[in-house]
Amino acid sequence: MNTAALNQYKSVGVQTGMVDATPHQMITMLLDGTLDRIAAARGAMERQEVARKGELIGSAIAIIDSMRASLDYNKGGEIAANLGSLYDYIESRLVAANAGGDTGMLDEASSLLREIKTGWASIPSDIRSQP
């Protein structure tokens, strides 16, 4: 199997999904991507693949940073501020997990992100489409 072609195909699929996605769907994809990277980092940590673990955690942090940058503190008020603080906390747990090799901190970060994702998914569809 041609791995390069497969990776290119996957990349095109992700890019197409992002172009066609609503803002709500984009955040869902970002949350999924972050959770995937944390899970992969956990596996790398367990296999003692230090460099790979660091890359994956760094990638998860970058995604969280982009979600934080998308917060609208004027429209979102207290909810946006709380979410920004939660993103800060999750990032601090990821940094600590990377430094200390603690899978429990990765699990905590994943659990918090799953809670955010559950809340995000529960937003009624008529509100999702509002500007």
Side-chain angles (χ1 to χ4, degrees):
M1 173 181 269
N2 186 339
T3 305
L6 178 60
N7 288 336
Q8 186 176 17
Y9 173 79
K10 287 179 182 177
S11 175
V12 169
V14 169
Q15 290 171 1
T16 302
M18 292 297 278
V19 169
D20 295 336
T22 66
H24 189 273
Q25 291 168 324
M26 289 180 83
I27 295 296
T28 301
M29 286 188 276
L30 290 170
L31 288 166
D32 287 340
T34 307
L35 288 165
D36 289 346
R37 282 162 180 78
I38 293 171
R42 190 180 204 290
M45 190 180 288
E46 290 169 349
R47 292 185 302 277
Q48 299 179 347
E49 297 171 353
V50 178
R52 183 71 179 141
K53 170 199 69 163
E55 290 170 13
L56 290 161
I57 290 175
S59 179
I61 289 170
I63 295 170
I64 293 169
D65 280 341
S66 69
M67 290 189 296
R68 181 191 1 272
S70 73
L71 292 173
D72 185 336
Y73 292 94
N74 292 326
K75 289 182 184 176
E78 185 179 347
I79 292 173
N82 289 341
L83 195 52
S85 294
L86 186 54
Y87 287 154
D88 286 340
Y89 179 77
I90 292 168
E91 285 183 359
S92 73
R93 300 311 280 170
L94 292 174
V95 169
N98 191 31
D102 188 339
T103 58
M105 290 182 190
L106 293 179
D107 294 342
E108 179 184 4
S110 291
S111 176
L112 292 169
L113 287 165
R114 281 192 298 276
E115 279 189 53
I116 293 168
K117 184 178 174 193
T118 298
W120 191 251
S122 71
I123 295 173
S125 59
D126 59 322
I127 294 175
R128 291 179 190 177
S129 60
Q130 291 179 0

